Amino acid sequence: MSGNVDEEAKVTHTGPKGVINDWRRFKLESMDQESLPPQKRELLRQMSSPHRPKDDGRGGLNRKMSVQEYELIKEDDEKCMKKYRKQCMQEMHERLSFGPKFEGVYELDSGEAFLEVIEKEHRLTVVVVHIYKEGIKGCDALNSCLDCLATEYTSVKFCKIDAGVTGAGERFTDDVLPTMLVYKAGELLGNFLATNQHFNEEFFATDVEAFLNGYGLLPEKDLVVGGEEEEAAVDVEAVE
């Protein structure tokens, strides 16, 4: 089968040998090439090269790993391996969720920004908007709760907007704040006025999470990578 070598080199492989080949290439790209001794730099280049060596009948990427290569891979690999695992998990999440990921709670500064996030966000993305006002009971607490939930549900876009800049201040009066609106594909799925009335005097992120889950508005929690969670490991010793 013929094809462009550069294009083939970018393909993510599957199976044990494919994982090792991708790891070799990732390691080469991640390391500071200028700081390496020439011999080590050349060895890394050979490890990741998709070309067939003239003195070897086996393909560069499909050959067995030599003892020298294995010793090189073992050397100072912990940080690089964690970075590689995290990247693999990120790619897997994007393939499975078919949607973008978000970080933190987004502050919307105008009614136009409010409409844009509702109408133009990815069709599979759940958008949670908190309409608040400084000094209104429950608003600060709900903002803090959403900050926590945003770290656990990165496929959900959490937003907040001051009622005064929505362009519809007459609708969001103090007595209906904090208001929490939930959208998906431009459709309003949840409209919760004076949200704090659904909770105790003091409430936490777990309370808000349970409340939204009670209406089926949150997706599955994200798989956490790192820490004490089980990671998808690349066992080079198991690959011949």
Side-chain angles (χ1 to χ4, degrees):
M1 182 175 62
S2 61
N4 185 286
V5 173
D6 292 335
E7 291 180 356
E8 291 178 355
K10 296 177 182 178
V11 175
T12 299
H13 299 80
T14 58
K17 289 184 178 180
V19 171
I20 282 297
N21 294 336
D22 288 338
W23 161 241
R24 286 171 171 170
R25 186 176 298 110
F26 179 86
K27 183 174 179 65
L28 176 66
E29 294 172 350
S30 300
M31 296 185 73
D32 182 1
Q33 298 292 306
E34 299 301 321
S35 65
L36 295 175
Q39 183 179 4
K40 184 178 289 187
R41 187 163 60 245
E42 175 61 19
L43 179 56
L44 276 172
R45 185 193 67 77
Q46 292 175 8
M47 288 168 60
S48 66
S49 174
H51 299 282
R52 185 183 298 274
K54 294 181 180 179
D55 58 348
D56 192 342
R58 296 168 295 176
L61 276 175
N62 294 320
R63 57 183 169 76
K64 293 182 179 181
M65 186 186 300
S66 69
V67 174
Q68 187 180 14
E69 289 175 351
Y70 178 67
E71 291 300 322
L72 178 60
I73 278 184
K74 285 180 62 179
E75 189 176 308
D76 300 324
D77 264 359
E78 185 174 354
K79 290 183 180 178
C80 194
M81 179 64 80
K82 286 183 178 179
K83 183 178 179 182
Y84 177 66
R85 290 173 178 171
K86 185 174 183 178
Q87 177 177 301
C88 289
M89 295 301 293
Q90 170 76 19
E91 292 173 354
M92 182 179 72
H93 179 280
E94 291 177 353
R95 288 196 300 270
L96 294 177
S97 66
F98 301 102
K101 295 184 70 176
F102 306 96
E103 295 182 359
V105 177
Y106 295 79
E107 178 80 41
L108 307 178
D109 58 8
S110 67
E112 289 75 15
F114 181 24
L115 292 176
E116 182 173 351
V117 76
I118 295 170
E119 297 172 354
K120 296 185 178 181
E121 196 48 70
H122 192 283
R123 63 183 180 82
L124 295 179
T125 297
V126 173
V127 180
V128 177
V129 182
H130 172 211
I131 302 175
Y132 71 96
K133 184 177 179 180
E134 294 292 340
I136 298 298
K137 184 178 180 180
C139 287
D140 286 344
L142 185 55
N143 276 333
S144 297
C145 291
L146 296 186
D147 284 336
C148 294
L149 293 181
T151 65
E152 299 183 3
Y153 294 90
T154 58
S155 63
V156 176
K157 187 164 189 177
F158 291 93
C159 305
K160 61 182 180 179
I161 182 171
D162 190 301
V165 301
T166 60
E170 69 282 355
R171 293 180 56 193
F172 299 113
T173 54
D174 293 359
D175 60 313
V176 301
L177 301 179
T179 289
M180 190 162 51
L181 306 177
V182 183
Y183 296 87
K184 185 176 182 180
E187 180 183 355
L188 180 64
L189 302 181
N191 180 13
F192 307 108
L193 305 179
T195 310
N196 58 314
Q197 294 183 7
H198 297 279
F199 310 121
N200 295 326
E201 184 76 14
E202 186 177 18
F203 61 94
F204 304 94
T206 52
D207 299 314
V208 179
E209 178 183 29
F211 175 76
L212 292 173
N213 275 328
Y215 288 91
L217 295 174
L218 290 179
E220 292 293 326
K221 273 190 178 180
D222 297 331
L223 176 62
V224 179
V225 180
E228 298 180 356
E229 296 291 333
E230 182 177 358
E231 297 180 350
V234 178
D235 188 355
V236 294
E237 295 181 272
V239 180
E240 295 185 349

